Amino acid sequence: MSSSSTTPQSNAPAITRISVIGAGTIGASWAALFLAHGLKVTLHDPGPDAESIARTLITQAWPALVTLGTAAPDIPWGALQFEADLEQAVAQADFVQENAPEREAFKIDLYKRMDAAAPEHTILASSTSGLHMTRLQSQCAHPERCVVGHPFNPPHLIPLVEVIGGRQTSNDTIERTMAFYRQTGKRPIRIHKEISGHVANRLQAALWREAVYLAAQGVASVEDIDTAITEGPGLRWAVFGPHMTFNLGGGQGGMARFLDHFSGPIKSWWDDLGEAPLDDATRAILLEGLTQESDGRTIEALAHERDEMLLRVLEAKRRHTE
């Protein structure tokens, strides 16, 4: 699998024209990333204020891309166009990044329409966080070019993108998609089986379920549970994932020694993990705890704080790998 070409084992033309379907938070973030990499972008969204909202979101995202060295200071607005008609929006695209609402029936019809209108070589990728491509491609005449490309928010900052084929997706489509995302600075991972929530969201959900349980049981405050992650394992996870982290936990013996010494205790912790229903009582605990943890900061201020910290982490990781 090539990491330098957008057309491994394929005679398809290079990917230079992108169609982004859905111009909300995720779609505009994708658009900013693609523009930063010198690609021509067509945005489609039926919302009456979609264009102005998307331009605002792209403008807000741009300074971070400049800081990371991904983008030049000036936004190349000339490379961006808005198209109200879906079929026209995908008619010249080499790659489509779809970010429509998470409604299966709606997306099945959407993919049928895009498949009928897009050129034969065009890849149709979905940002869906949980739907299965096997279902979304089911009404397409060319289902082999349909694939999931699930980002993490915000896509212009977080490198991860999960690539999952449906039952009829070709291996060539998956390889071309992986190569294209690498070209745009992403870190794609290939998921070999369709599963609800993909991989990263399932890992998040598993951790959050225990976090909610601990808060509901009064084991610790919402803020302290968050701190247990941000000032503990979360720092290590920015460098290595759980498997490699525990491999290091075994010292010179690595994972084998770790399993010899800790498999018993960890199994007992697994057996004791709880489940907390997201009922009114638990909801009240979470909302009250987050009000205290936010300490008067707005959602906008918290998002800005998150992105500023993410930038510093990403810059540190980039310097380490240069």
Side-chain angles (χ1 to χ4, degrees):
M1 186 186 301
S2 170
S3 62
S4 60
S5 169
T6 59
T7 57
Q9 301 179 358
S10 173
N11 294 320
I15 295 174
T16 61
R17 292 178 173 270
I18 313 300
S19 179
V20 176
I21 307 302
T25 301
I26 301 298
S29 181
W30 272 121
L33 179 73
F34 295 144
L35 288 170
H37 283 273
L39 299 164
K40 295 180 180 178
V41 177
T42 297
L43 264 175
H44 165 78
D45 193 301
D49 300 319
E51 180 172 351
S52 61
I53 292 172
R55 287 184 180 274
T56 297
L57 292 171
I58 291 169
T59 301
Q60 292 171 349
W62 204 257
L65 291 165
V66 174
T67 298
L68 289 172
T70 304
D74 295 329
I75 302 175
W77 292 117
L80 176 69
Q81 71 176 61
F82 286 80
E83 175 56 61
D85 182 80
L86 174 68
E87 282 74 14
Q88 287 297 316
V90 304
Q92 298 183 45
D94 301 311
F95 190 95
V96 175
Q97 187 73 47
E98 170 270 314
N99 313 277
E102 289 283 271
R103 300 197 301 270
E104 185 181 87
F106 176 83
K107 288 204 186 217
I108 288 173
D109 181 67
L110 181 67
Y111 272 80
K112 181 180 179 180
R113 292 175 60 192
M114 293 193 300
D115 180 59
E120 183 178 346
H121 69 275
T122 307
I123 292 173
L124 306 179
S126 178
S127 294
T128 179
S129 59
L131 298 178
H132 290 191
M133 182 47 68
T134 292
R135 294 284 302 155
L136 301 186
Q137 69 188 178
S138 61
Q139 299 299 313
C140 293
H142 302 286
E144 70 280 353
R145 41 103 163 253
C146 302
V147 65
V148 170
H150 172 242
F152 251 50
N153 188 34
H156 70 279
L157 285 184
I158 303 294
L160 178 67
V161 58
E162 298 173 310
V163 177
I164 314 108
R167 195 168 297 147
Q168 299 181 79
T169 304
S170 71
N171 192 61
D172 181 69
T173 292
I174 292 175
E175 290 189 351
R176 290 176 60 209
T177 300
M178 297 277 288
F180 170 66
Y181 284 139
R182 289 193 189 100
Q183 178 185 304
T184 58
K186 304 295 282 181
R187 181 70 183 271
I189 63 170
R190 180 171 181 175
I191 298 175
H192 297 281
K193 293 182 179 181
E194 291 181 295
I195 188 170
S196 297
H198 313 321
V199 169
N201 273 336
R202 290 178 69 94
L203 293 171
Q204 282 196 136
L207 176 63
W208 194 50
R209 183 175 71 176
E210 184 62 16
V212 171
Y213 172 77
L214 293 172
Q217 293 296 311
V219 175
S221 70
V222 168
E223 181 173 5
D224 283 349
I225 292 168
D226 280 356
T227 300
I229 296 299
T230 61
E231 302 302 316
L235 294 172
R236 300 190 303 198
W237 292 338
V239 181
F240 290 128
H243 295 117
M244 185 60 74
T245 294
F246 288 149
N247 184 49
L248 293 176
Q252 292 299 319
M255 180 60 81
R257 183 174 182 275
F258 180 85
L259 290 173
D260 287 342
H261 284 261
F262 296 106
S263 59
I266 287 179
K267 177 61 166 57
S268 71
W269 301 339
W270 284 350
D271 292 341
D272 194 49
L273 293 177
E275 293 189 26
L278 294 175
D279 54 16
D280 289 344
T282 303
R283 177 187 174 96
I285 291 170
L286 297 179
L287 295 181
E288 181 182 355
L290 285 168
T291 297
Q292 295 175 1
E293 186 176 355
S294 298
D295 195 25
R297 292 170 292 177
T298 64
I299 290 293
E300 291 75 16
L302 289 165
H304 179 73
E305 182 179 330
R306 175 202 64 191
D307 291 352
E308 286 295 309
M309 293 292 285
L310 282 174
L311 271 176
R312 288 176 171 82
V313 172
L314 290 168
E315 287 182 281
K317 294 185 73 169
R318 183 187 62 185
R319 286 196 300 270
H320 179 75
T321 55
E322 285 178 349

